[in-house]
Amino acid sequence: MRERPSSRLLLLDALDRLLLFKFVHLAGALQGEMFWATPGGGLDPGESYEAAACREMFEETGIRIADPGRQIARRSVTFTMVDGEQVCSDERYFLIRIGSAEISSTHWTALERAAIAAQRWWRPAELAATTDQVYPEDIVAMLHKAGAW
């Protein structure tokens, strides 16, 4: 199984709301699945986790940052990619605070445009109460442990 290193963004706005994307897969190996997840993605060859976090921040929100700050969490998880490949993902989480909730999808890939059905800024209580699938499953605890909420 291929290892897939990735940087994930725990992006909080000025109201301490967390940005999540709603993924709805209409085709491929994940057809019919719906879940909420953080912005972020896999590292390019030779790229550091920090550099990938900065690149993903720009590609998925339109916001440029020079430094993602410190890594606040890490997890290893096995999952199936859209093309059906199973990977073991080494995910590093970076907490990033921004002043505005305005983001842009201008730089999304075709795959992101096809799979991301919505974006939402979540308050802690809303996220803790949702019955929707959210990844990572312990995201509320992760943010509490980091002192973000």
Side-chain angles (χ1 to χ4, degrees):
M1 185 180 313
R2 179 173 69 92
E3 186 170 305
R4 181 180 185 264
S6 68
S7 291
R8 309 301 308 178
L9 311 175
L10 298 168
L11 186 59
L12 296 177
D13 71 1
L15 300 175
D16 278 337
R17 298 176 303 172
L18 176 71
L19 177 65
L20 294 177
F21 292 138
K22 182 179 184 179
F23 290 84
V24 177
H25 295 283
L26 301 176
L30 301 177
Q31 184 173 355
E33 290 197 29
M34 185 286 296
F35 57 87
W36 292 91
T38 64
L43 275 62
D44 289 339
E47 189 174 41
S48 70
Y49 286 92
E50 293 78 11
C54 293
R55 176 182 51 76
E56 290 287 344
M57 179 75 167
F58 177 68
E59 290 175 0
E60 296 191 1
T61 69
I63 300 169
R64 286 196 188 275
I65 57 171
D67 180 4
R70 69 179 177 88
Q71 174 187 314
I72 64 154
R74 179 181 182 179
R75 80 172 186 152
S76 180
V77 63
T78 300
F79 65 88
T80 304
M81 302 283 288
V82 174
D83 64 5
E85 178 188 15
Q86 232 186 0
V87 297
C88 180
S89 186
D90 178 7
E91 299 178 340
R92 312 290 175 95
Y93 288 82
F94 295 88
L95 177 65
I96 302 169
R97 293 186 178 275
I98 62 169
S100 169
E102 295 291 321
I103 67 165
S104 169
S105 61
T106 302
H107 303 285
W108 286 5
T109 65
L111 183 60
E112 289 164 341
R113 289 184 191 289
I116 298 174
Q119 62 191 27
R120 179 176 170 188
W121 293 93
W122 295 75
R123 296 185 185 281
E126 295 170 330
L127 196 51
T130 187
T131 58
D132 288 352
Q133 179 64 60
V134 177
Y135 294 115
E137 295 89 342
D138 65 342
I139 196 165
V140 173
M142 187 185 288
L143 286 160
H144 279 296
K145 184 176 179 183
W149 277 349

